[in-house]
Amino acid sequence: MCGIAGVINYHRQPTQPSLLASMLASLKHRGPDQEGVYHQGHVGIGMRRLKIIALDNGAQPCYSNDGRYVLVFNGEIYNYRLLRAELIAQGFRFETESDAEVIVNLYQRDGEAFYQRLDGMFALAIYDRIDDTLLLARDPAGKKPLLYALHDGVVSFSSELNSLLKDERIPRHIDPVALDYYLRFRVVPGDRCIFQNISKVPVGGGVSFALGKESRQHYWRVAYQPEPDEKPLEQWIDEIDEYLNQAISKRLMAEVPIGTMLSGGLDSSLITAIACKQSRHKLKTFAVGFNESAFSELEYSRRLAKELGTEHHDFIITPGEAFDAAHDLVKHFGEPFAFPSSIASHFMYRLARQHVAVVLGGDGADELFGGYARYSLVANFPHLPAEHKLPRKVDLLNKTWRADEFVECYKRLLTDGVGGQLRQQLYSRSMALRLAEEGSVAQVRSYRDELTMHSDPLSAAMEYDFNHWMQEAQMVKVDIASMANSLEVRAPFLDRQIVGFGSRLPGQLKLHAGKEKYLLQCLAKRYLPDYIVDRKKQELAVPLEQWMVSSMKTLIIDTLTSEQALSRGYFNPDKLRQFVREFDGSHSYALWTMYMLEKWHQQFFDN
């Protein structure tokens, strides 16, 4: 696992080595073990490496056999040995045992068709020394980030925004549409950046640069197309059992110690149980909890770890530690990010890094197999039950919904930051005008188009969540929080075979008789005790609402009512001051979303 960065000046003016060195220094936490650089005139690309495989001879950049292509790469390719053998049989030579050298030679042979052969997680850059072109690409699930800026004929790219902004030629102009999206959903959209002049390489695609101009390619996108339920239940269980065992086996490949996250929930417990059967060594497992018992799963993770015979480690997070971690993560995320679960993730990954370099996690299972409480509402739309299991926030039951209002209903389900009415009350006149000029309605139109592609609301919602919610929130959180601690996280549920299987799975095998993730529960009975299989799902959450009306309240209020915060221009100062001072525990996620925006501003502008 690595961090990558580079600069290409298409005016053919020399790239300053000091700029690339500064960009890579900002990525040292992603790759503390080694640095590598290719610098030739107007081109400079490099990487910071976290050693996982090919410990002694896996340095980058890597070069193709013909010397034409130079590659830097962040990620892991699980089928690289198979591809390497195939290339050797065709006469290719290798100087390393790394997956990176396989990629660059595969590109020499296949061109952009190389992408379809890669099984893994990755963000990469390939420079063509003859044609003076650059290709940036990301994996199909968006597990590894990659940002870039094209400004006045200069291309700069990096794994993290903080590193990219070391190139001071890049303007820092706020994108009001991205900001409005953030306030609504607590994350910045995957196809925009908080800064107008910076872009993200598309998930499942790439961006090519030639003569200072860019073109985009889309290689892979998940589409949910459920098959008829014409097979016996046991056959479905056997299939996912085989796929998951294969996915875990591939992800246990490493030359460094590996562990698993073990929250005590279904997904991480299932992965841990299977990994225990496959691993040749005693598995290390990790969990975090809180003194607030309603938010802690430690009793389940400890009990299961003892039964599975793992070497278990856990950690209890206090409010003070949580607050410090939230502030520290701001610079790593680079953009405003207001999911408090990132705090718990940070402590889990910090704990794990004290013992291992790689962990397996359960990410992706909810989006593929129906793990969110909101899916039960979606499956019954427009007939919503009088009671639902959503933990807070969403006011859905104050009206009778029509079948053609699904987009609006689902938008409300996902809006858990600052709601639409509250945003309009708080926005300054200038902010409201900017949004009107920028056409924020385009985001809503895109949202509507994607959600109405299916006649089946459940498939529409889950496909949208996989291609947006998961990539914009979950994948960003996992990558940033883990790499801030120099830890690699692998996600067996996001294996290509499992993604294909999950996207074809009939809806009644996802939600059945009031049970979420029904097929995974059936599989889990082969590996796990009933107290894990049958327990109610508990999200990785922190006691934010409790802390915000107690230990955190004064600091949050003081921060948001400071002259500095009130002068940003986004909100009407009088209305923001009134909203913050009248806070009594309601609208806690709205307040936290605005607080994290202000902390981000302090980090990226005031500092």
Side-chain angles (χ1 to χ4, degrees), residues 169-468:
R169 294 168 294 192
I170 302 171
R172 298 194 187 192
H173 301 314
I174 298 294
D175 180 347
V177 176
L179 178 61
D180 183 65
Y181 189 102
Y182 161 76
L183 289 168
R184 178 187 299 178
F185 300 116
R186 299 187 288 150
V187 295
V188 173
D191 59 353
R192 304 180 85 104
C193 180
I194 195 64
F195 294 115
Q196 288 180 323
N197 302 89
I198 295 175
S199 302
K200 297 166 185 171
V201 176
V203 172
V207 185
S208 298
F209 300 90
L211 300 176
K213 297 181 179 180
E214 68 177 274
S215 60
R216 290 198 161 208
Q217 297 82 34
H218 294 277
Y219 304 125
W220 204 80
R221 189 179 188 281
V222 175
Y224 279 56
Q225 298 174 332
E227 297 177 353
D229 185 10
E230 298 176 345
K231 293 183 283 192
L233 177 60
E234 282 299 312
Q235 186 173 340
W236 287 108
I237 299 172
D238 289 342
E239 287 183 29
I240 185 57
D241 196 353
E242 179 181 357
Y243 290 148
L244 188 56
N245 268 273
Q246 290 174 354
I248 291 171
S249 177
K250 285 187 283 188
R251 285 158 181 80
L252 289 174
M253 174 190 68
E255 298 174 29
V256 294
I258 293 182
T260 68
M261 311 316 299
L262 182 58
S263 68
L266 183 71
D267 309 327
S268 64
S269 298
L270 182 56
I271 287 172
T272 299
I274 295 175
C276 281
K277 291 180 177 294
Q278 294 187 5
S279 179
R280 292 173 294 177
H281 309 286
K282 187 172 185 177
L283 201 65
K284 295 181 173 66
T285 53
F286 309 96
V288 294
F290 305 91
N291 289 318
E292 294 82 357
S293 58
F295 290 83
S296 188
E297 300 180 273
L298 290 181
E299 64 172 298
Y300 297 101
S301 59
R302 289 168 177 170
R303 182 178 175 185
L304 183 61
K306 185 175 181 179
E307 292 183 14
L308 294 176
T310 72
E311 180 187 314
H312 189 64
H313 305 268
D314 57 42
F315 180 81
I316 295 177
I317 304 169
T318 65
E321 291 170 320
F323 222 38
D324 290 342
H327 295 158
D328 184 58
L329 285 169
V330 169
K331 67 177 181 292
H332 291 291
F333 279 110
E335 297 181 294
F337 190 89
F339 273 68
S341 59
S342 63
I343 299 170
S345 296
H346 164 74
F347 283 101
M348 271 200 308
Y349 298 143
R350 190 184 72 173
L351 173 65
R353 191 61 181 96
Q354 296 170 16
H355 304 274
V356 298
V358 179
V359 292
L360 308 189
D363 306 287
D366 290 327
E367 292 83 1
L368 285 168
F369 295 96
Y372 293 124
R374 60 180 177 264
Y375 292 151
S376 295
L377 296 180
V378 167
N380 291 302
F381 186 83
H383 307 292
L384 302 185
E387 297 182 2
H388 57 74
K389 295 184 289 183
L390 295 179
R392 61 176 191 283
K393 64 182 170 72
V394 186
D395 183 13
L396 293 174
L397 306 179
N398 61 348
K399 62 170 289 183
T400 300
W401 292 93
R402 301 192 312 268
D404 61 356
E405 293 180 309
F406 170 66
V407 174
E408 176 61 26
C409 178
Y410 201 63
K411 187 168 66 174
R412 283 206 206 177
L413 276 169
L414 292 182
T415 301
D416 58 358
V418 185
Q421 185 176 357
L422 181 57
R423 290 200 313 281
Q424 298 312 313
Q425 291 173 0
L426 293 175
Y427 277 154
S428 65
R429 178 173 174 78
S430 61
M431 180 63 178
L433 288 173
R434 286 187 69 191
L435 284 171
E437 291 170 1
E438 294 285 343
S440 62
V441 72
Q443 279 288 338
V444 177
R445 187 180 303 118
S446 171
Y447 204 113
R448 179 175 297 278
D449 290 345
E450 293 194 43
L451 281 171
T452 54
M453 287 171 58
H454 287 274
S455 58
D456 168 22
L458 180 61
S459 294
M462 293 183 68
E463 181 178 313
Y464 187 86
D465 283 354
F466 187 96
N467 289 310
H468 292 276

